[in-house]
Amino acid sequence: MLKNLDAYQDALKNSNNPLRDYRLNIMTKDNKCVVRIFNFVYIVTLIVGTIIQFSDESKFAVDMSKIGLTHVLKDLPPETKVLDMSQNCISELHLSDVSFLSGLKVLRLSRNSIRYLDFSIFKFNPDLEYLDLSHNQLQKISCHPIMSLKHLDLSFNDFEVLPICKEFGNLTQLDFLGLSATRFQQLDLLPIAHLHLSCILLDLEGYYVKENQTESLQIPNTKTLQLVFHPYNLFSVQVNISLNSLGCLQLTNIKLNDDNCQVLIKFLSDPIRQPTLLNITLNHVETTWKCLVRVFQFLWPKPVESLHICNLTIVKSIGKEDFTYSKTALKALKIEHITNRVYIFSQQVLYTVFSEMNIMMLTISDTPFIHMVCPQAPSTFKFLNFTQNVFTDSIFQNCSTLVRLETLILQKNELKDLFKVGLMTKNMPSLEILDVSWNSLEYHGPDGNCPWVESLVVLNLSSNILTDSVFRCLPPRVKVLDLHNNRIRSIPKDITSLEALQVLNVAFNSLADLPGCGAFNGLSILIIDYNLISDPSADFFQSCQKIRSIKAGNNPFQCTCELREFIQSIGQVSGDVVEGWPDSYKCEYPESYKGTPLKDFHLSQLSCNTALLVVTIVVPVLVLAVTVSILCIYLDLPWYLRMVCQWTQTRRRARHIPLEELQRTLQFHAFISYSERDSAWVKNELVPCLEKEDIRICLHERNFVPGKSIVENIINCIEKSYKSIFVLSPNFVQSEWCHYELYFAHHNLFHEGSDNLILILLEPIPQNNIPSKYHKLRALMTQRTYLEWPKEKSKRGLFWANIRAAFNMKVALVIENNDVKT
């Protein structure tokens, strides 16, 4: 389950994970019990899934391993603290090789060809803590105290005797010591007898002693003793090892048969007399089934509490062996990686030996076991781990003897039916933790009829092929539920049987939204990352008042207006609640925002508030409409628009006329604009009087060009005339064409920059009689001087004199000259 339990527990203690408090609360009945410790560790592994590993190595590290070096390079950075030159061809070390590395802390030189080493070469490396010289060809060393050394590995070399000298006794900080030798003397380790080491490794691959000859070795104070034997020879080591305060014994490369089985048992006899030796580990064991059972029987009444066998190979045959399950101190048996080279045997014989063991914890993982029989009598098992076997749905069906079982792990087997898994637990009244992850579980049964045991509080169903229907088949009192890496698309809202749920892991599924807490009133931890959530519900934190941790990152968030409310809701909760924020929360859509952290995604209130957007658009439109209406009603805006339109069309047509035709010359002295009702006065009085003075007059009835529009004729006449005379009267005000002529003439006034308007007031015009649309006429009558036609004949002479004075005679000459040229 865990490779390094102690390291993981330390990491857990130092972590600030909200899961930790909950897991501690689950195990409250017997904290000192070994079973509870394993349960605690397993729950943590169940939810977190990975272990954070810490490294003390400095950033000033140089890796020069596996590059074929024959000597240490001289151009290494002087500030190097970690130097790895393992797996090269270096045969010698000199003072100059490392003396300039004053800050060196870690030096790895394993798997080279070094034959001799003088420790004085490290006298200029006062901080050296870790020195690995294993797997070389060392035969001799010259000692020199390295006071800072904590890890020294001289194992797997060619030493004849243990390379221990009196200077090693000064290494008070030494924690690990690796040695090798081909023979022992009892007091070889005397110089370091006073040191308190965590681990001593003795390489005995080359150890040899004559038959029937026994050597003795006094082991100093150490917590762990590792002995490595020859991998291909039958176990034949006969050494009497004297130990003090040894807690763990690890033996590697043990090859046994029925004949030399007693040699191993005799070898173990002395160490296990120590009351402190509680843990034995056997690595790379090849044995017969008969010898394995004998070893079990030998250790059964001894004070050893934990036995771990890794890489076990069973040879020859498997037959029925008598085994007496006497009272034992053994609490845990763990067997990993079994290879069975016996192909024909009784499975009942094999499985019964394990199923009837009167211990609390049994682990058999990575084996070819296809079944495990039910104990015949009520069992003492509290923890069973059968990871990576070939168990099917028939495992422990109708088994009523596992009454004390609290934790059952069936990872990586061949389970397929979730209903049968629930049925299996029905007769396990103490079961609290069940792990059936990495199987092929499905559920297609009816709602709410799965026969789960009520005591189950932790359930791991991860890495199966479960769908939404799994929520119809769950234990009613489950508190920790792991469903990550399945095929779940949605969580039904009508769940009523999960009110006790506190921790839910649904990562790596196909969920499209965050689940509400209506069915999970007590939910405090939710892991839902790596799903298909694009637009999470903004009211999640409102419905989940008890949530203490949510991990929802690495989803394909669609950064639109709807996501703004969710982002705002995250900002309203504590920073410790949303795990992975903001690094794991990034936009996936639209493409323009892809990769943008959600905390940096901003949209204006106007672009997201439809009502506000409508008001912003509609109000200006309404104001504009009202303004236009007022202009149309009171200022006759349509009339002016039509007039401008006609003016523009005339100007546009003029652009297509050749330039020489557009070079305008004055052909008339005056263009007269009048109402048809005033034509009698114009034709009888005004025109004769002006033409008598040789003033050429332009009148619409005789000078407009047939075929052209009226507006175009008006504009042409105004532009070809030196002056424009307007005969004002109430009739003029009522004539729309007269007002056109006045508008264009006034426009021409400003366009040409000259004073070309002559206003004649034929009859008085009251201001209130002038329509509002003729505001320009109002302005002209207010701002400009006009000639008023006198009713008395005596005053008319002055009137005509003022009109003649308004015409420049030079212009008259120009007009006459233009006539001559024409």
Side-chain angles (χ1 to χ4, degrees):
M1 181 171 59
L2 292 174
K3 293 183 178 179
N4 193 332
L5 179 59
D6 294 335
Y8 179 73
Q9 288 174 331
D10 292 338
L12 179 66
K13 291 176 182 177
N14 296 327
S15 66
N16 187 21
N17 194 324
L19 290 173
R20 177 168 58 104
D21 299 334
Y22 170 72
R23 296 170 192 137
L24 288 172
N25 292 333
I26 290 180
M27 303 302 170
T28 58
K29 296 181 181 179
D30 188 7
N31 292 332
K32 296 181 180 180
C33 179
V34 177
V35 176
R36 295 297 187 177
I37 295 176
F38 269 75
N39 289 351
F40 165 75
V41 173
Y42 177 71
I43 296 173
V44 178
T45 308
L46 172 71
I47 301 300
V48 178
T50 58
I51 303 173
I52 300 175
Q53 298 179 347
F54 300 95
S55 175
D56 294 330
E57 295 187 354
S58 169
K59 62 180 180 180
F60 300 106
V62 177
D63 185 0
M64 306 190 73
S65 61
K66 303 180 184 179
I67 60 174
L69 291 177
T70 58
H71 61 278
V72 180
L73 299 180
K74 304 298 183 183
D75 57 350
L76 295 173
E79 65 274 11
T80 299
K81 294 184 178 181
V82 179
L83 178 58
D84 186 354
M85 294 189 294
S86 60
Q87 302 186 57
N88 282 293
C89 303
I90 300 173
S91 59
E92 293 181 337
L93 284 179
H94 303 284
L95 178 63
S96 59
D97 292 336
V98 293
S99 60
F100 63 97
L101 303 175
S102 58
L104 188 65
K105 289 187 175 183
V106 177
L107 178 59
R108 295 186 177 94
L109 286 165
S110 63
R111 301 188 183 277
N112 278 281
S113 304
I114 303 173
R115 295 176 179 270
Y116 170 77
L117 180 65
D118 186 351
F119 275 81
S120 64
I121 68 173
F122 301 114
K123 61 184 178 181
F124 296 113
N125 308 107
D127 297 329
L128 187 62
E129 299 177 354
Y130 187 104
L131 179 59
D132 185 359
L133 290 162
S134 63
H135 297 279
N136 275 277
Q137 300 173 16
L138 286 170
Q139 299 177 355
K140 185 179 179 181
I141 61 173
S142 294
C143 293
H144 179 85
I146 307 174
M147 305 306 296
S148 59
L149 206 59
K150 296 179 180 179
H151 181 106
L152 176 60
D153 194 351
L154 297 171
S155 61
F156 302 99
N157 278 284
D158 297 336
F159 296 110
E160 185 176 349
V161 297
L162 292 175
I164 297 294
C165 46
K166 62 179 181 179
E167 286 82 359
F168 282 10
N170 298 324
L171 304 180
T172 57
Q173 298 188 49
L174 194 63
D175 189 67
F176 174 92
L177 178 61
L179 303 170
S180 62
T182 58
R183 60 185 178 87
F184 294 141
Q185 293 183 5
Q186 184 172 4
L187 302 179
D188 281 348
L189 298 176
L190 182 61
I192 61 172
H194 61 285
L195 299 180
H196 295 274
L197 305 177
S198 293
C199 182
I200 294 179
L201 168 63
L202 292 182
D203 161 34
L204 303 179
E205 285 190 0
Y207 176 79
Y208 173 76
V209 65
K210 293 181 180 179
E211 190 174 355
N212 298 325
Q213 181 179 350
T214 302
E215 295 183 341
S216 299
L217 182 64
Q218 179 70 39
I219 301 297
N221 295 327
T222 183
K223 297 179 181 178
T224 302
L225 175 61
Q226 300 179 14
L227 301 178
V228 182
F229 305 103
H230 196 283
Y232 304 116
N233 296 340
L234 287 173
F235 186 84
S236 60
V237 176
Q238 300 184 39
V239 179
N240 293 328
I241 298 179
S242 300
L243 302 166
N244 290 319
S245 67
L246 182 66
C248 179
L249 176 63
Q250 298 181 11
L251 307 180
T252 302
N253 297 331
I254 302 174
K255 189 173 183 180
L256 303 171
N257 56 27
D258 294 342
D259 297 328
N260 74 329
C261 188
Q262 188 61 32
V263 178
L264 175 63
I265 293 174
K266 183 179 179 181
F267 179 84
L268 293 174
S269 297
D270 289 337
I272 62 176
R273 291 195 183 102
Q274 297 294 326
T276 58
L277 181 58
L278 303 179
N279 302 285
I280 295 179
T281 299
L282 307 177
N283 295 315
H284 298 285
V285 180
E286 180 181 312
T287 181
T288 62
W289 173 250
K290 181 178 181 179
C291 181
L292 181 63
V293 174
R294 287 180 61 188
V295 172
F296 286 159
Q297 189 69 79
F298 168 74
L299 294 175
W300 217 252
K302 300 300 186 289
V304 176
E305 294 184 355
S306 174
L307 175 61
H308 181 194
I309 302 176
C310 186
N311 292 308
L312 171 65
T313 301
I314 301 176
V315 297
K316 289 188 68 174
S317 63
I318 298 177
K320 182 176 176 58
E321 303 290 340
D322 293 332
F323 193 95
T324 302
Y325 298 99
S326 59
K327 185 177 180 180
T328 180
L330 192 67
K331 292 182 173 64
L333 172 61
K334 185 176 183 179
I335 305 177
E336 296 179 295
H337 314 298
I338 298 180
T339 301
N340 188 6
R341 294 183 181 172
V342 181
Y343 304 107
I344 301 176
F345 62 94
S346 171
Q347 295 184 13
Q348 187 73 18
V349 169
L350 176 65
Y351 301 147
T352 301
V353 171
F354 297 107
S355 66
E356 299 301 325
M357 287 182 172
N358 54 336
I359 60 177
M360 289 188 294
M361 306 176 68
L362 175 63
T363 297
I364 301 178
S365 63
D366 193 9
T367 71
F369 287 8
I370 61 174
H371 192 63
M372 180 57 62
V373 296
C374 181
Q376 297 178 4
S379 175
T380 59
F381 287 133
K382 293 187 177 182
F383 179 96
L384 289 178
N385 183 358
F386 297 114
T387 297
Q388 202 168 347
N389 285 276
V390 201
F391 292 174
T392 63
D393 294 329
S394 61
I395 186 70
F396 295 140
Q397 293 293 335
N398 301 317
C399 181
S400 59
T401 55
L402 296 173
V403 292
R404 299 183 182 179
L405 187 62
E406 297 175 357
T407 300
L408 176 59
I409 304 173
L410 297 173
Q411 284 186 11
K412 298 182 179 180
N413 280 276
E414 298 295 329
L415 306 179
K416 296 183 179 180
D417 192 340
L418 183 61
F419 181 85
K420 291 184 177 180
V421 171
L423 189 62
M424 173 193 68
T425 69
K426 192 64 176 176
N427 295 318
M428 301 176 182
S430 301
L431 188 65
E432 296 180 356
I433 304 170
L434 175 63
D435 182 359
V436 287
S437 60
W438 293 99
N439 282 278
S440 301
L441 289 172
E442 297 180 275
Y443 179 72
H444 301 292
D447 295 354
N449 290 326
C450 290
W452 294 98
V453 63
E454 292 186 357
S455 60
L456 194 61
V457 294
V458 178
L459 178 59
N460 188 352
L461 295 172
S462 64
S463 300
N464 283 283
I465 52 177
L466 295 165
T467 61
D468 305 355
S469 61
V470 66
F471 290 96
R472 304 198 305 265
C473 182
L474 291 173
R477 299 182 181 179
V478 65
K479 295 182 179 180
V480 180
L481 178 61
D482 191 346
L483 286 166
H484 84 269
N485 193 25
N486 276 282
R487 301 178 181 178
I488 301 172
R489 295 182 176 273
S490 64
I491 299 178
K493 296 182 179 180
D494 56 349
I495 303 174
T496 58
S497 60
L498 297 178
E499 295 180 355
L501 188 64
Q502 297 182 23
V503 181
L504 176 61
N505 186 352
V506 286
F508 293 95
N509 279 282
S510 301
L511 293 169
D513 197 3
L514 295 176
C517 291
F520 315 125
N521 296 330
L523 188 66
S524 61
I525 298 172
L526 175 63
I527 304 173
I528 196 170
D529 53 338
Y530 293 100
N531 274 273
L532 300 178
I533 300 175
S534 59
D535 182 19
S537 301
D539 59 350
F540 171 78
F541 293 102
Q542 294 180 356
S543 64
C544 300
Q545 298 290 334
K546 296 182 180 180
I547 201 76
R548 289 192 292 137
S549 175
I550 176 174
K551 187 176 182 182
N554 299 295
N555 275 290
F557 295 108
Q558 187 170 358
C559 291
T560 58
C561 293
E562 290 75 11
L563 195 64
R564 292 173 68 252
E565 296 182 11
F566 175 72
I567 299 174
Q568 292 172 358
S569 65
I570 290 180
Q572 297 173 359
V573 299
S574 172
D576 297 333
V577 173
V578 185
E579 188 174 347
W581 178 268
D583 297 337
S584 300
Y585 296 76
K586 297 182 179 180
C587 299
E588 184 68 21
Y589 307 104
E591 192 67 26
S592 58
Y593 285 104
K594 188 173 184 179
T596 302
L598 296 193
K599 70 179 183 64
D600 297 331
F601 170 67
H602 303 287
L603 286 177
S604 65
Q605 183 72 17
L606 180 62
S607 60
C608 293
N609 192 325
T610 305
L612 181 61
L613 182 62
V614 169
V615 170
T616 305
I617 295 175
V618 170
V619 169
V621 170
L622 289 177
V623 172
L624 179 61
V626 171
T627 303
V628 171
S629 299
I630 293 174
L631 291 175
C632 291
I633 295 173
Y634 293 99
L635 299 179
D636 202 7
L637 181 62
W639 183 88
Y640 283 103
L641 293 177
R642 289 198 308 270
M643 191 162 53
V644 171
C645 179
Q646 292 174 349
W647 173 274
T648 304
Q649 291 175 354
T650 302
R651 287 295 186 182
R652 185 181 297 112
R653 285 195 299 268
R655 292 193 187 99
H656 300 287
I657 301 175
L659 182 61
E660 56 273 9
E661 295 184 19
L662 289 175
Q663 291 182 345
R664 172 175 58 86
T665 58
L666 296 176
Q667 298 180 10
F668 305 99
H669 290 94
F671 167 72
I672 300 176
S673 175
Y674 57 94
S675 171
E676 191 64 31
R677 296 178 180 179
D678 298 326
S679 61
W681 181 84
V682 172
K683 295 177 180 179
N684 296 329
E685 295 285 347
L686 182 60
V687 172
C689 183
L690 293 178
E691 288 182 343
K692 183 174 64 174
E693 299 293 334
D694 295 329
I695 296 176
R696 178 171 285 183
I697 300 301
C698 177
L699 298 173
H700 66 272
E701 64 265 21
R702 67 186 185 186
N703 295 109
F704 276 14
V705 179
K708 290 185 177 182
S709 67
I710 297 176
V711 173
E712 192 172 357
N713 276 307
I714 292 173
I715 294 173
N716 288 336
C717 287
I718 292 174
E719 289 180 345
K720 292 180 180 180
S721 301
Y722 175 58
K723 296 286 185 177
S724 294
I725 301 174
F726 290 87
V727 180
L728 305 179
S729 67
N731 297 324
F732 184 93
V733 170
Q734 300 302 321
S735 173
E736 185 171 342
W737 286 113
C738 289
H739 197 68
Y740 270 119
E741 293 168 351
L742 177 62
Y743 179 88
F744 292 136
H746 187 258
H747 177 79
N748 193 58
L749 168 67
F750 290 100
H751 179 69
E752 299 290 343
S754 60
D755 188 7
N756 59 0
L757 286 181
I758 299 176
L759 302 179
I760 299 176
L761 184 60
L762 183 60
E763 296 178 11
I765 306 176
Q767 287 289 329
N768 55 2
N769 288 345
I770 302 177
S772 58
K773 66 180 180 179
Y774 293 162
H775 66 281
K776 191 173 293 295
L777 177 58
R778 289 173 179 266
L780 287 175
M781 295 185 65
T782 303
Q783 299 170 2
R784 300 182 66 85
T785 303
Y786 54 87
L787 299 175
E788 186 174 357
W789 173 252
K791 299 298 181 179
E792 300 86 353
K793 291 184 178 181
S794 59
K795 297 180 180 180
R796 292 177 181 176
L798 181 60
F799 173 82
W800 297 117
N802 288 332
I803 288 183
R804 288 193 297 268
F807 291 94
N808 191 333
M809 301 312 296
K810 293 181 179 180
V811 176
L813 293 175
V814 172
I815 295 175
E816 292 176 358
N817 291 334
N818 287 338
D819 291 341
V820 172
K821 292 178 181 179
T822 304

